[in-house]
Amino acid sequence: MNDYIRFFNIIGGIGILLFSFRYLNTIIESTVSRRFKPLVNRILSNQFNSFFTSFLGTILIQASSITVIGSMGLLSNSIITLEQGFFIALGASLGSAFKSWFFNVNVFSYSLTIIGISSILLIFFKRLIIKEALQLLLALGFAFLSFNIMSQILPDISQSEYFRNFITGYTTDSLKNQFVGILIGFFVTCLIQSSSAFIFLVITLANDNLLSFETGSLLILGANIGTTITPLIVSLEYEKNVKKLAVAYMIAKTLGVLITLFFFPYFINSIDILSKAYFLLPSNGTKVLGTHTIFNIINCIWWSIFYSFIFRFINIFLPDDSNSIKALPLVIRKMVSSNYKIAIEEIENQINKLETVTKNLTDYCLELMTITEVEINKKNTFQLFRKDFESLKDTVYEIILQLNKNNLGGVKNEYNKINFKFISQCNDFYSHALSFSMHLEQGIFVDYYTFPSSIRDNFEEFENFFNNIWLSVLLNKSTKEDFENINNVINQIEEEYFLLISQKNNYTHEHLTWIYESVSYLKKMVYSLTTIKKSINLVKMKDFEKK
């Protein structure tokens, strides 16, 4: 294969791989977090269940990277905890080792078949749950396609002069040479982004006596580190918690390999003894496969006990944000609900975060409104984590529902009703603000619209009154005067708009329509804010009981 073709195949494969994982996470956000959240909560209810489910899932789909990156999507949507995600990664490692004993079929070669069938069926099936399942299958198909493309360079690697020289002249008699063997396994796995394909090649070469048992084992250990690079690359798109999971997975594998390397002669002898005990005449390939399996068994047992040390180390370099607005994972919500006092404190904490998310979105809208034509090219949009609001809202709902199952009665039930009503009204307000932000982004960053200066001059006054109203509602104060003032500003903006269209101007019909719809969104936001009554906002339990 031509070197240029080989290079572009690798680039294309990586691109398809990143696309498939991005698509997979989109499905997790839209489907798993909405439709299958209760089911996922039961299946992954604890660390053991997370490990065992991941173990079986990896054997089924034949790719540990997909399992690990799927857990990153669940973590990103606050469906699982960081610790659960880590145990899913451990289960994926062990599943990848065990499936090598029983499944030697290259499932990646069926990638185009999977993509073709799922794409065609998506045309004919209209039922939502079936379409979502087919979309998940399509994402897996694209991931398999990327692995298949990149693994096509393996025959070229195995037949290259450098690799042949390595096989014939390589010895494992020194720590330096052992380290070189691990590095080669690491870099080849990084290159093709598939440890399964590389491990299959190493076992094949070992069975043909082209690789010694020791050499094959070192390459396998290097591949175990290389398989962590794919999740690490994908995590760059996500928030800090997901990055922690990817780094923890890499550290667990790397430290496990380094510890094994320190005891490598004893480790190899142990594998040799075990292989001869279970197989009459074990081949080099069988012994290499034993290295892969025993290493992952020991590594999983070790880090399932001492995983907390990894997270303590990671927290030094990736500390949690003090103003984090992430919702509680499902398993933590259930634990919190068992203690009424803690549950009430957490409800108030989550509502505070929810208010912060909502205010951040409205601030973003108000900021967009003041952009001038000169600033458009300098202004960059940023991703608003809109899923945070839904996760926070679900957290409050679920904790309150769990509390109500305990038949609290009296004042405590009234308190829960107040919070339910507040969340509902806050949700309406957030929906208006979210639609407004999308409307502004479309107009400003796609169509390059701006507000006329006569209208824009009123926005600062509008923002001041709006912030006053927001504080008044949160602090449980009278807001009548502020509402009158902000309505006067909106009326002034409308008058400026009608004056604009009555005169000759250079604005297109679409631009003028966009301006008027923006004013309508402002009115909807103000009206929605009026429905958030002062008595339903974050009432502290002790103050409520006094009433």
Side-chain angles (χ1 to χ4, degrees), residues 254-413:
T254 303
L255 288 181
V257 168
L258 293 177
I259 293 172
T260 303
L261 184 61
F262 187 76
F263 298 100
F264 187 68
Y266 306 101
F267 180 75
I268 288 297
N269 289 335
S270 301
I271 299 296
D272 189 46
I273 294 171
L274 288 173
S275 298
K276 290 177 180 178
Y278 284 94
F279 301 95
L280 188 61
L281 293 172
S283 64
N284 283 339
T286 301
K287 294 179 183 179
V288 169
L289 197 52
T291 297
H292 184 41
T293 305
I294 298 300
F295 164 76
N296 278 288
I297 289 175
I298 295 173
N299 208 46
C300 288
I301 293 173
W302 175 267
W303 292 119
S304 65
I305 299 172
F306 299 106
Y307 69 91
S308 60
F309 291 98
I310 292 181
F311 290 123
R312 289 177 189 172
F313 175 77
I314 293 174
N315 283 330
I316 297 174
F317 301 97
L318 290 172
D320 292 324
D321 296 328
S322 57
N323 57 346
S324 175
I325 55 173
K326 296 299 293 180
L328 287 178
L330 291 170
V331 66
I332 302 298
R333 299 175 199 176
K334 186 175 294 186
M335 294 169 59
V336 165
S337 301
S338 62
N339 186 304
Y340 181 76
K341 183 178 180 181
I342 295 176
I344 293 301
E345 291 176 355
E346 195 53 51
I347 286 174
E348 295 176 350
N349 180 40
Q350 295 295 307
I351 288 179
N352 274 327
K353 292 181 179 180
L354 190 144
E355 291 168 349
T356 300
V357 172
T358 305
K359 188 61 171 66
N360 287 343
L361 179 58
T362 57
D363 288 343
Y364 177 56
C365 292
L366 296 173
E367 181 185 358
L368 288 177
M369 289 163 56
T370 60
I371 291 178
T372 64
E373 186 174 357
V374 178
E375 295 171 325
I376 283 181
N377 294 327
K378 300 178 181 179
K379 184 73 178 179
N380 294 317
T381 57
F382 58 88
Q383 289 290 334
L384 291 172
F385 295 100
R386 293 161 183 167
K387 61 191 175 187
D388 285 345
F389 183 90
E390 293 297 325
S391 298
L392 292 166
K393 182 182 70 174
D394 289 347
T395 298
V396 178
Y397 276 155
E398 289 176 22
I399 294 177
I400 293 176
L401 287 173
Q402 289 291 332
L403 289 178
N404 283 343
K405 289 180 181 179
N406 298 330
N407 297 319
L408 301 174
V411 174
K412 294 178 180 178
N413 270 343

Side-chain angles (χ1 to χ4, degrees), residues 59-103:
I59 292 176
L60 180 65
I61 65 176
Q62 301 278 296
S64 60
S65 295
I66 295 177
T67 308
V68 175
I69 291 171
S71 72
M72 290 161 58
L74 296 176
L75 176 61
S76 176
N77 287 277
S78 299
I79 297 176
I80 62 174
T81 64
L82 181 59
E83 288 76 13
Q84 284 175 295
F86 183 72
F87 274 82
I88 289 175
L90 292 181
S93 298
L94 194 59
S96 178
F98 268 82
K99 61 98 176 172
S100 300
W101 288 94
F102 307 106
F103 301 97

Side-chain angles (χ1 to χ4, degrees), residues 82 124 394 413 419 524 531:
L82 181 59
F124 297 102
D394 289 347
N413 270 343
N419 279 319
K524 288 178 182 178
T531 63

